[in-house]
Amino acid sequence: MKFTCNTYELERALTSAERFTGKNLTLPVLGSVLLEVRGEKLCLTATNLEYAIQITVEGSGSKEGRVCVPAKVASSFLQSVREDTILLEERQGNLEIKTSARETRVNGVSAEDFPLIPTIKAAHSFSVNGFEFKRGIERVLPAVSFSEFKPELSGVYCKITPHEGRVAATDTFRLAEQLIGPGAGLKETVSFILPYRLAQEFVRVAGDAAELAVVLGENQILFKFGPVNIISRLVEGNFPEYQAIIPKKLETSCYLKKDELMNAVRTSSIFSSKLQDVGVCIKSKEAEITSSNQEVGDFKTIIPAAVSGNEVMVHFNYRYLLDGLNVVDEDEFYLGLNGDNSPSIIKNKNDTSFTYIISPIHIS
C-alpha cells in the first residue's frame, strides 16, 4: 500500500481509533489498528471485540493494500509530526512513514490475524439528530449503574419512536432522562441499551455530527456519521419501566442559582459523614445547606431561593447531587421535592427536556 494524506486528518483518525483498541494477552493484535488503502481513501479499523470503529481518511492512493500496526505507537508518533503532508507505505509487513523532514518505520503485526468486523443484518434503519443524541447520552451517563447483578442497568437506554426519542440511565438511586428528536424513517418504536464504555467513546468521537444514521440488527448496532462507522454489541435485557417514579405532583418547588448551590454542596462535602450526605433545607426564601461529621466538624450556609410550597428538609448523597447539577446547563435551575422520603426532581429553568431524579438518604 502507498498513500499520501493530510497529517492532521490522519492523526485525528488514529487518536479516535486508538480508543477502540483492546488489551488482550491471547490476542495482542487487538492493540493494533488496521490501515487499508482503497482507491483514494484510507480506512482505519480498530476493535476490542465488543465494539469497533472504522474511519475513512481522504487522500491520494497510488497503491492499494493494507498493514496493521500498534495503535499507540503510530498515534504517539503522529502527534509529534509538524509537516502538513505525510506519506504512508507498507514494506514487508511494516509501515514506513515519510514527511519532508522525517523517515520512520513502525514494525507491523500480521494483518491476517486482525479480527473480521461483523456485517449487521438490518432489522431497522433510521436517522436522528446527531447533536441531540450525543448531548442526551452525555447528560445521562453519570446515572449508569456499574452493578454486575443488573446488566440491563449497565448502559444507556434509548427509546426512539417516529414522533420522539428518549435517552435514559439509572442506578436505582438516581435517574436521568433526556428527550431528543424522533427517528426519521421509523415506522414503529425501537429500543436498545448501549454499553457504558461504547456510549463514552461515542460522545468523544461524534463531534458535531448533524445527522446520525442508525442500523439495528440482532443484538448489534451500527452508527454512521461523516467518515466514521461504529459497530457495537448491545446490552441484553429489559430496561425497567421508569416513568412511574417520575414525580407528577410536587409539594415544594424552588429555583436556585446553579453555581451557588454547587459551591455550597462542594464545601459541605468536606464535613460530610460516611454516608456522603448533605442536608438541603428549603424555607420561604432560602435554601440552607448543612453537613456534620463528628471527626471533622459542622458546616452551614444559606443561599437565596425562590420558593413555593411547604418547608422541607432532605438529605442527599452529595456526589449524586453534584452529578445532576453538572449537566444542568442554565444559570438557574428548578428543584422540586415531595418531603424527605420521596424522590426529588432537577430540571433546567427553561429547557425542560432533561430530567434528573434523585432519591433522598434516610438519616436515622
Side-chain angles (χ1 to χ4, degrees):
M1 59 161 272
K2 195 171 184 180
F3 191 79
T4 303
C5 64
N6 178 272
T7 304
Y8 172 73
E9 294 296 330
L10 179 61
E11 187 269 325
R12 188 171 64 170
L14 261 174
T15 299
S16 296
E18 185 185 355
R19 295 183 179 278
F20 285 72
T21 58
K23 295 180 180 179
N24 190 308
L25 295 177
T26 58
L27 281 174
V29 72
L30 295 182
S32 300
V33 60
L34 180 68
L35 291 82
E36 297 178 276
V37 174
R38 304 168 185 168
E40 301 300 302
K41 296 181 179 181
L42 173 68
C43 180
L44 291 81
T45 305
T47 182
N48 61 7
L49 299 183
E50 293 294 323
Y51 47 81
I53 190 169
Q54 293 180 318
I55 308 176
T56 300
V57 176
E58 302 283 346
S60 175
S62 56
K63 182 180 179 182
E64 294 192 346
R66 62 180 185 165
V67 65
C68 192
V69 293
K72 186 173 181 61
V73 174
S75 176
S76 297
F77 171 74
L78 281 180
Q79 290 173 19
S80 70
V81 176
R82 296 292 176 262
E83 292 80 12
D84 292 336
T85 304
I86 195 164
L87 170 66
L88 308 177
E89 188 172 4
E90 182 270 334
R91 287 184 183 273
Q92 298 180 337
N94 301 320
L95 177 64
E96 293 190 357
I97 304 174
K98 297 179 182 179
T99 69
S100 58
R102 300 186 182 195
E103 289 190 14
T104 304
R105 187 190 77 242
V106 178
N107 291 339
V109 296
S110 174
E112 302 300 322
D113 294 337
F114 196 84
L116 292 174
I117 304 303
T119 300
I120 294 181
K121 185 178 180 181
H124 300 280
S125 298
F126 58 96
S127 63
V128 294
N129 183 296
F131 174 76
E132 288 185 0
F133 189 76
K134 172 191 169 182
R135 184 181 65 168
I137 291 178
E138 198 169 18
R139 282 180 165 178
V140 306
L141 271 176
V144 172
S145 170
F146 296 99
S147 170
E148 296 180 359
F149 302 104
K150 294 183 177 180
E152 67 275 11
L153 302 185
S154 65
V156 175
Y157 174 69
C158 304
K159 182 178 181 181
I160 314 295
T161 79
H163 309 292
E164 67 172 9
R166 295 176 184 267
V167 179
T170 183
D171 59 5
T172 71
F173 300 107
R174 65 263 182 81
L175 163 75
E177 181 196 61
Q178 174 71 47
L179 300 181
I180 63 173
L186 270 179
K187 295 182 179 179
E188 58 183 306
T189 299
V190 298
S191 61
F192 49 91
I193 306 173
L194 296 177
Y196 175 78
R197 283 195 60 198
L198 182 277
Q200 271 189 317
E201 299 305 338
F202 173 84
V203 167
R204 291 179 176 135
V205 173
D208 298 323
E211 184 176 351
L212 176 67
V214 184
V215 178
L216 275 176
E218 185 177 354
N219 201 39
Q220 290 181 313
I221 193 166
L222 167 64
F223 294 118
K224 298 180 179 181
F225 51 95
V228 180
N229 287 358
I230 294 177
I231 304 164
S232 176
R233 294 181 183 177
L234 296 171
V235 177
E236 296 186 37
N238 296 315
F239 200 79
E241 294 291 338
Y242 62 85
Q243 293 292 328
I245 71 168
I246 299 178
K248 301 298 186 292
K249 295 183 179 180
L250 295 157
E251 298 174 2
T252 307
S253 297
C254 62
Y255 292 93
L256 303 103
K257 297 289 186 181
K258 171 185 172 179
D259 290 344
E260 289 181 354
L261 183 59
M262 289 189 72
N263 182 59
V265 172
R266 288 193 184 106
T267 307
S268 185
S269 69
I270 300 170
F271 300 88
S272 179
S273 73
K274 292 180 180 179
L275 294 176
Q276 298 186 336
D277 62 298
V278 297
V280 179
C281 182
I282 304 299
K283 300 181 180 180
S284 60
K285 294 182 180 180
E286 63 187 31
E288 183 179 276
I289 314 301
T290 59
S291 59
S292 180
N293 186 318
Q294 290 183 350
E295 297 177 359
V296 181
D298 304 320
F299 172 81
K300 180 175 77 172
T301 189
I302 294 174
I303 59 176
V307 181
S308 62
N310 302 334
E311 182 175 316
V312 61
M313 175 68 177
V314 184
H315 286 82
F316 296 118
N317 179 300
Y318 74 82
R319 295 184 185 275
Y320 295 169
L321 182 55
L322 287 174
D323 281 344
L325 296 176
N326 269 322
V327 291
V328 169
D329 55 8
E330 294 179 7
D331 294 336
E332 195 170 357
F333 74 96
Y334 171 82
L335 174 64
L337 307 100
N338 275 330
D340 60 354
N341 291 313
S342 300
S344 298
I345 186 169
I346 293 174
K347 285 178 174 285
N348 282 305
K349 183 178 181 179
N350 299 307
D351 176 14
T352 58
S353 63
F354 175 71
T355 302
Y356 188 82
I357 308 296
I358 180 171
S359 297
I361 294 177
H362 301 297
I363 306 295
S364 57

